[in-house]
Amino acid sequence: MALLDPGLKDEAVKALTKSDSVVIASHIDPDGDALGSSLALALLLRQMGKEVFVYNRDLVPYSYKFLPGAELVTDILPKNCDLLCLLDCSEMARAGECLSAWKGYRQSLCIDHHLTAEVNADINLIYSQACATGELVYELAVVLKPDFGIEIAVNLYTAILTDTGSFRYSNSTPSSFAIAGDLVARGVEPWEITQQVYESQPLERIKLIGRVLKTLQISDSRLAAAVWVTEEMFAETGTNSEYTDGLVNYPRSIAGVEVAFMAREIGPDEYKFSFRSRGRVNVAELVVGFGGGGHHNAAGCRLKGPLLELIERFFSLVDEQCGRIEPNA
Ligand SMILES: [Mn+2]
């Protein structure tokens, strides 16, 4: 069930083994996979005696502060290292400072599972069949340090748990479960991780959910649903964008809804859209014309314009993709 091509895996293992100093970077607004896979690799390399830096432009969200090694994350990109590893990041625009710094490192390695991967490193381990970047890091970990312990296991488990939506999404494969099983055998306590990730919500977040759900819009066809969140709502509830993780799953959970999205205000009349599909519509395709990217079932883009018009536009696109309406003559 191993995904990594043996030749490429060898190349990656060699690059990691011979490098004395390594920078590990992942996408901005990091999620459980970005952080879990980065920290797992970082701890692994530290145990191998390397100097390791974990770079992210953004802070570690509250729900992932428990991850072993979370304190290693820095928003200052170290220069002059032997190797730059970019994890779980398909677009250079989402890598923070890495794009400009890319050439400042002796070698680069990309490990990712996005459908729309546009990153070109010296070595590219890009497998969209992987449920999480954590799955690919696991395959490297069992080669680099077969007896890796609980701290690395917790990070990898969290990466896979969160990117599979707790093993509910269609990207949950036999290997997702097999790897999770191995990680549990290494000492991971599933309920402990569940509590940290999903059941330690600040009261402010529940208040924010209440505000956001009031914005619910549903298309005439009932195939698409949307919610939005504004700076004003953050101010009213004492929250920020960190608290919006997973909110888009509420509109998607409506019976019959194929695609749901959440728009988050990021500037005057400017929004970051996060799309989730139930499976029929490829939302990575839906956003690619708007400069966005992602996976079949989860994608995003940034757009300017009056919000309600943008929502209507996406409602029509979803209808078209579902083949329910004829395009206007
Ligand atoms: Mn991921």
Side-chain angles (χ1 to χ4, degrees):
M1 280 186 290
L3 292 172
L4 293 182
D5 168 82
L8 276 177
K9 179 153 85 175
D10 272 359
E11 265 187 64
V13 165
K14 266 185 209 137
L16 291 163
T17 309
K18 74 169 190 217
S19 300
D20 293 322
S21 54
V22 182
V23 181
I24 299 169
S26 59
H27 64 77
I28 57 178
D29 290 332
D31 57 15
D33 186 29
L35 290 166
S37 61
S38 295
L39 294 173
L41 185 61
L43 295 175
L44 194 79
L45 294 172
R46 277 199 147 193
Q47 289 174 15
M48 292 165 68
K50 322 252 174 225
E51 193 182 13
V52 185
F53 305 90
V54 184
Y55 166 77
N56 202 288
R57 191 200 70 180
D58 298 324
L59 293 171
V60 177
Y62 64 86
S63 44
Y64 299 118
K65 289 222 165 86
F66 77 97
L67 288 174
E71 70 287 350
L72 296 176
V73 178
T74 167
D75 60 359
I76 301 159
L77 184 63
K79 315 274 183 213
N80 306 319
C81 288
D82 296 332
L83 180 68
L84 172 66
C85 301
L86 187 60
L87 269 57
D88 200 40
C89 185
S90 60
E91 301 155 66
M92 293 313 275
R94 296 194 73 212
E97 269 184 78
C98 284
L99 177 58
S100 51
W102 191 253
K103 294 202 168 17
Y105 300 90
R106 217 161 293 158
Q107 214 178 1
S108 56
L109 165 65
C110 171
I111 309 176
D112 189 28
H113 68 130
H114 289 82
L115 268 182
T116 51
E118 59 164 44
V119 172
N120 193 13
D122 297 325
I123 306 165
N124 297 289
L125 307 181
I126 300 172
Y127 294 85
S128 61
Q129 318 92 294
C131 67
T133 299
E135 177 173 354
L136 302 170
V137 172
Y138 172 87
E139 285 195 32
L140 293 174
V142 291
V143 175
L144 289 163
K145 205 169 192 326
D147 61 342
F148 70 79
I150 181 77
E151 295 199 327
I152 290 166
V154 163
N155 276 298
L156 293 175
Y157 183 89
T158 304
I160 292 171
L161 178 78
T162 54
D163 258 25
T164 58
S166 307
F167 305 99
R168 288 171 300 165
Y169 299 155
S170 55
N171 63 348
S172 307
T173 60
S175 31
S176 321
F177 288 99
I179 294 169
D182 178 46
L183 297 172
V184 171
R186 288 170 192 260
V188 171
E189 297 277 1
W191 174 236
E192 243 171 58
I193 312 285
T194 301
Q195 289 193 80
Q196 294 283 1
V197 177
Y198 301 112
E199 309 233 1
S200 302
Q201 301 198 53
L203 176 60
E204 292 79 7
R205 176 170 149 99
I206 304 299
K207 291 182 174 167
L208 180 69
I209 293 172
R211 277 299 274 110
V212 170
L213 291 181
K214 282 188 190 152
T215 69
L216 179 70
Q217 307 284 307
I218 188 146
S219 66
D220 293 339
S221 63
R222 304 248 164 161
L223 292 166
V227 292
W228 69 80
V229 59
T230 61
E231 283 299 328
E232 197 188 337
M233 294 179 203
F234 290 143
E236 277 170 17
T237 52
T239 57
N240 55 51
S241 61
E242 266 185 49
Y243 292 72
T244 60
D245 195 34
L247 291 197
V248 65
N249 294 327
Y250 286 95
R252 185 179 60 182
S253 69
I254 300 167
V257 166
E258 288 292 337
V259 172
F261 53 96
M262 182 174 74
R264 170 163 68 82
E265 187 184 21
I266 52 171
D269 251 354
E270 190 175 2
Y271 300 89
K272 180 176 184 261
F273 284 81
S274 305
F275 291 83
R276 294 293 182 277
S277 168
R278 193 181 281 274
R280 224 167 114 196
V281 175
N282 180 347
V283 287
E285 250 169 46
L286 197 78
V287 300
V288 86
F290 299 95
H295 307 277
H296 185 102
N297 287 338
C301 63
R302 285 159 190 259
L303 284 174
K304 275 197 159 214
L307 180 59
L308 289 173
E309 281 177 28
L310 293 172
I311 289 176
E312 281 304 326
R313 201 157 153 205
F314 283 120
F315 279 178
S316 307
L317 280 174
V318 172
D319 282 348
E320 272 172 40
Q321 292 239 10
C322 290
R324 287 289 175 90
I325 58 162
E326 301 295 323
N328 288 334

